Amino acid sequence: MKLRMVPARQGAVWVKMGMRTFFKQPLALSGLFFLFMAAMSVLSMVPVLGSIVALTLLPAATLGLMAATQETTKGKFPMPTVLVSAFRAGQQQLRGMLVLGGLYAMGFLLVMALSALVDGGQFARLYLVGGELSAELLMQSDFEWAALTAMALYLPLSLLFWHAPALVHWHGISPVKSLFFSMVACARNFWAFTVFGLTWLAAFLGMGLAVAIVSALLGNPQLVSAILLPMGMAMAAMFFTSLYFTFDDTFEVSPGDTA
């Protein structure tokens, strides 16, 4: 395994490749993303424990979507079973992915615990247990600061796990080493990932603005809510499709690897 250094403009290329690949199999990739979201949502309905299980399975589920993208790039139709690729690659990868999932869950819960120091746990309780997100709650400065704290702390956590599932699955690297390599890869290609994030932010904002303008021109405000959700889901599916290319371009595959 060898780390590649890519130029900043490659971040925009990753977005373009993700979108282009998505439109090769839009129904299949949209369906797989919906299954992924549905499974996470159903698990999260179980208070506390369900959220922890969902967090533990998230790295494996993300790897499944990356594997679906890989299948699409090879001209194959990604079947639903590709979502459980992480659990079908052998005992070593299975143990590694479960350990990785446990580390991710602990890291996320630590982020929530630290955010609870700001608002007494209101934000963390809402996320882990559920409840009503009222306008009054949103107006509370402590709640807002807790949400911002959680977002700030989640960024380094996400970089730790950005490449980790793929490194465990396709390169057979241990969970702890995969976290280290993931963070180093993201840091060494900082500008490419910055452009990647900003390009996706612009894409999501542009999509929302376009829907609002079309609804206004047609004089039908209800179209915003009717169109925005499916469009947002499709854009999110494209985002997850593009994750494979951030990995594929960042790490050089040796002859013995299968990535």
Side-chain angles (χ1 to χ4, degrees), residues 15-74:
V15 176
K16 180 180 178 180
M17 293 174 71
M19 291 182 173
R20 181 183 298 172
T21 303
F22 174 83
F23 283 109
K24 289 182 179 179
Q25 293 287 356
L27 294 179
L29 293 174
S30 294
L32 290 173
F33 177 72
F34 179 79
L35 285 175
F36 160 75
M37 290 297 297
M40 295 296 106
S41 298
V42 169
L43 286 171
S44 298
M45 290 175 65
V46 180
V48 184
L49 182 60
S51 297
I52 294 174
V53 173
L55 289 169
T56 303
L57 294 177
L58 188 58
T62 303
L63 185 279
L65 293 175
M66 293 177 70
T69 303
Q70 186 189 55
E71 290 289 286
T72 304
T73 61
K74 294 178 179 179

Side-chain angles (χ1 to χ4, degrees), residues 5-247:
M5 300 291 292
V6 298
R9 64 178 180 273
Q10 195 66 18
V13 174
W14 293 335
V15 176
K16 180 180 178 180
M17 293 174 71
M19 291 182 173
R20 181 183 298 172
T21 303
F22 174 83
F23 283 109
K24 289 182 179 179
Q25 293 287 356
L27 294 179
L29 293 174
S30 294
L32 290 173
F33 177 72
F34 179 79
L35 285 175
F36 160 75
M37 290 297 297
M40 295 296 106
S41 298
V42 169
L43 286 171
S44 298
M45 290 175 65
V46 180
V48 184
L49 182 60
S51 297
I52 294 174
V53 173
L55 289 169
T56 303
L57 294 177
L58 188 58
T62 303
L63 185 279
L65 293 175
M66 293 177 70
T69 303
Q70 186 189 55
E71 290 289 286
T72 304
T73 61
K74 294 178 179 179
K76 300 178 181 178
F77 184 88
M79 301 298 291
T81 53
V82 76
L83 285 178
V84 294
S85 297
F87 304 112
R88 303 169 60 196
Q91 289 297 318
Q92 180 182 349
Q93 282 89 342
L94 174 59
R95 287 193 299 268
M97 199 65 68
L98 291 176
V99 171
L100 196 64
L103 292 173
Y104 179 79
M106 288 190 292
F108 190 89
L109 292 175
L110 178 59
V111 168
M112 290 292 105
L114 292 174
S115 75
L117 299 176
V118 179
D119 70 341
Q122 293 184 92
F123 176 78
R125 191 179 306 111
L126 181 68
Y127 187 91
L128 296 174
V129 181
E132 183 180 351
L133 184 61
S134 63
E136 180 182 355
L137 185 61
L138 289 173
M139 292 295 290
Q140 295 181 16
S141 60
D142 287 350
F143 183 85
E144 293 177 358
W145 278 109
L148 291 173
T149 299
M151 289 175 61
L153 293 173
Y154 183 73
L155 178 58
L157 180 69
S158 66
L159 296 180
L160 277 171
F161 285 87
W162 192 274
H163 297 299
L167 289 171
V168 169
H169 180 73
W170 279 312
H171 290 277
I173 295 175
S174 68
V176 175
K177 286 185 178 180
S178 73
L179 297 178
F180 172 75
F181 290 143
S182 178
M183 178 60 81
V184 170
C186 292
R188 295 290 297 275
N189 288 296
F190 173 80
W191 291 113
F193 280 94
T194 299
V195 171
F196 175 78
L198 292 176
T199 304
W200 269 119
L201 178 62
F204 275 97
L205 292 176
M207 180 270 296
L209 181 61
V211 171
I213 291 174
V214 170
S215 300
L217 291 175
L218 295 177
N220 189 352
Q222 288 76 21
L223 281 177
V224 175
S225 56
I227 299 177
L228 200 56
L229 180 59
M231 286 289 291
M233 291 287 285
M235 290 287 287
M238 293 180 206
F239 170 79
F240 274 90
T241 301
S242 67
L243 294 184
Y244 172 76
F245 299 104
T246 69
F247 169 76

